[in-house]
Amino acid sequence: MHTRWPDAKWLVVGVNHQRAGIAQREAFALSAEQQAALLANTRALGLSGALVLATCNRTELYARTDCPQPIVDLLVRHTGSDADSFHRLGFVLHAEQALLHLLRVTTGLDSLVLGDVQIPQQVKQAYKLAQAHGLADSFVHKALQFVMKAHKRARHETAIGSGAASVAHAAVGYIRSTGARLPELRVLVIGAGKIGKVTLKNLLSLGAAEVCLINRAPERAERLAEGLAVRTAPWEALADEVALSDVVICATGAPEPVVLPAHVRGTRPRLFIDLALPRNIDPAIAILPHQRVVNMDDLAQVVDEAADRRNAARPAVEAIIDQELDAFGQWLHQQRLTPTVKALVAHFEAIKAQELAHARADLSPEARAELERITHRLVNKLLAQPFQALRSANGQTEALLEAVGRLYNLTPETD
């Protein structure tokens, strides 16, 4: 059973692949600039912590508050979507359920591709962006430590990382599932980011012999292609390279399609694989003769040779998540105790000092030292029972803290 967090002030609002198809997720996509603006406005609300996780399959905003409506409003406004769509497609989770969700996302249990290896890096980037905006308070910092620990444990202690799990790997798996032989195909990869890099390496490792890489910034494509059996082409040659290709894989950061029906010449059969959100390949291409367009939702159906092992690891990963969630709850419980514990110690130490002041005047230095030792042990023994009660309070922490405060007339200082 998870520790209850009555005052955690932590929630997540978002839209992801669990309830929204790719066209619906596009309406909630955030560019890098929009993410920065969203966090700036979250900071303007006076919050001390927030995290925006915007990937191909999810747009989620985590925030240090227990009031979701302003956070929903921010997400809707910055994505240019509408409130009705959010309430139909989105979700809101509070306190431990919000952190449980982030744990499941980061360990790969809530990914479009089970065990997706790219998710942890995306979570790390989200944390760095939160830090840059002054939104990584002690709660967010500690939560991310537990989240990344769960990820590392899942990778080392279970088979959730078996094989190669990512949308880039799924794309290559999809090509092979059609029965096509990679060495006989001409493949065009558009985009030299992380997904493009993983896609290239997978194509080459599985035997692709003719691969071309195009990127809007040509120097980036050239750097990525260096040392690989890959040729590059300028952006202006996009239509020419599409015409030569059997397979076109696209993953850029563009906010709109970059491969258009106008780029498709003739009726040569082609497979277009779109790994971006918003989509980078115009779905209208699928209407053209002999052209097939596949997006990320289609790739979710691809089964690779390690999928069964990853799926069998689910219970073990869930157990790790439960352990780390409980451990975080215990840390949170201790944080809430700290002001009262400090006030209680200070209260007893003040009483001790007052009584010693009356007695020490007539005592020898040796007797004073012995009395100091005796009273120190006495204070520790008197505090042991209240401290133990506070540590084991769990769901009754608030009532017990209030009772202790009244009993000793404490006014704990808070950060």
Side-chain angles (χ1 to χ4, degrees):
M1 180 181 239
H2 299 140
T3 306
R4 293 175 60 85
W5 307 347
D7 282 334
K9 290 190 176 180
W10 174 245
L11 58 75
V12 56
V13 305
V15 173
N16 61 31
H17 65 282
Q18 299 288 7
R19 294 176 59 181
I22 191 166
Q24 295 165 321
R25 297 198 302 276
E26 276 182 326
F28 288 90
L30 287 167
S31 66
E33 293 77 13
Q34 288 172 314
Q35 292 177 50
L38 175 57
L39 285 178
N41 281 327
T42 304
R43 178 71 172 166
L45 291 178
L47 303 186
S48 61
L51 197 74
V52 59
L53 186 57
T55 74
C56 296
N57 298 308
R58 67 187 69 249
T59 301
E60 298 173 354
L61 177 57
Y62 298 78
R64 290 279 280 121
T65 178
D66 52 10
C67 185
Q69 194 55 53
I71 308 305
V72 171
D73 292 343
L74 276 178
L75 185 64
V76 168
R77 177 154 55 92
H78 282 274
T79 57
S81 52
D82 61 88
D84 288 343
S85 294
F86 177 83
H87 292 304
R88 182 166 45 88
L89 302 169
F91 65 91
V92 179
L93 297 172
H94 291 266
E96 65 264 40
Q97 292 302 313
L99 187 57
L100 173 62
H101 178 72
L102 184 56
L103 282 159
R104 290 180 57 81
V105 169
T106 309
T107 55
L109 290 187
D110 196 66
S111 304
L112 185 70
V113 177
L114 181 64
D116 194 328
V117 296
Q118 294 174 340
I119 295 293
Q121 289 302 318
Q122 293 166 335
V123 173
K124 286 180 181 179
Q125 286 300 116
Y127 177 66
K128 288 181 180 178
L129 187 60
Q131 282 183 308
H133 286 267
L135 286 166
D137 65 3
S138 60
F139 182 101
V140 173
H141 175 74
K142 198 68 176 181
L144 265 292
Q145 284 186 334
F146 278 91
V147 164
M148 297 314 298
K149 181 182 175 185
H151 152 66
K152 290 176 182 176
R153 286 188 59 193
R155 294 287 161 175
H156 291 123
E157 299 174 24
T158 79
I160 194 68
S162 293
S166 71
V167 291
H169 291 96
V172 179
Y174 190 95
I175 298 171
R176 299 176 75 195
S177 73
T178 65
R181 297 187 69 253
L182 275 173
E184 300 172 359
L185 299 177
R186 292 179 176 178
V187 183
L188 172 63
V189 177
I190 305 170
K194 290 181 180 178
I195 294 178
K197 180 179 180 180
V198 176
T199 302
L200 277 179
K201 291 189 174 180
N202 275 276
L203 286 167
L204 296 173
S205 67
L206 293 173
E210 293 190 59
V211 181
C212 178
L213 175 63
I214 286 182
N215 193 67
R216 199 179 294 272
E219 64 278 2
R220 190 170 183 182
E222 289 165 5
R223 283 198 303 270
L224 180 55
E226 188 176 349
L228 301 176
V230 173
R231 67 180 180 86
T232 62
W235 188 259
E236 295 73 23
L238 181 60
D240 293 334
E241 293 299 334
V242 169
L244 292 171
S245 300
D246 303 298
V247 178
V248 177
I249 304 175
C250 192
T252 79
E256 68 281 314
V258 297
V259 183
L260 308 172
H263 292 125
V264 181
R265 301 171 185 166
T267 58
R268 178 193 186 111
R270 297 180 188 86
L271 171 62
F272 292 84
I273 303 179
D274 196 337
L275 301 182
L277 189 81
R279 284 172 289 182
N280 285 174
I281 296 176
D282 193 329
I285 290 176
I287 301 173
L288 302 176
H290 309 298
Q291 311 301 306
R292 190 191 330 175
V293 178
V294 171
N295 60 45
M296 286 178 296
D297 286 356
D298 302 315
L299 294 180
Q301 309 305 316
V302 175
V303 178
D304 62 51
E305 65 277 5
D308 289 342
R309 293 199 300 277
R310 293 200 298 271
N311 196 54
R314 280 181 181 272
V317 177
E318 294 281 11
I320 290 171
I321 287 173
D322 285 347
Q323 292 164 13
E324 297 303 330
L325 188 63
D326 279 337
F328 182 81
Q330 292 166 16
W331 173 83
L332 189 62
H333 175 62
Q334 293 298 320
Q335 294 302 111
R336 293 168 60 236
L337 297 181
T338 298
T340 295
V341 167
K342 288 181 178 179
L344 202 53
V345 170
H347 177 76
F348 273 68
E349 287 292 335
I351 293 173
K352 184 186 84 170
Q354 185 179 18
E355 294 303 317
L356 285 175
H358 293 306
R360 280 187 294 204
D362 301 326
L363 297 176
S364 67
E366 294 79 9
R368 290 177 190 174
E370 180 61 23
L371 186 58
E372 180 71 37
R373 285 192 293 270
I374 291 171
T375 53
H376 179 73
R377 289 198 302 269
L378 182 60
V379 167
N380 285 344
K381 289 181 178 180
L382 289 172
L383 287 174
Q385 189 171 356
F387 286 173
Q388 179 58 37
L390 287 170
R391 280 193 293 267
S392 60
N394 290 329
Q396 299 177 333
T397 301
E398 289 304 316
L400 191 52
L401 288 175
E402 185 178 347
V404 170
R406 286 199 308 268
L407 179 61
Y408 296 106
N409 193 29
L410 302 178
T411 54
E413 293 183 3
T414 57
D415 294 333

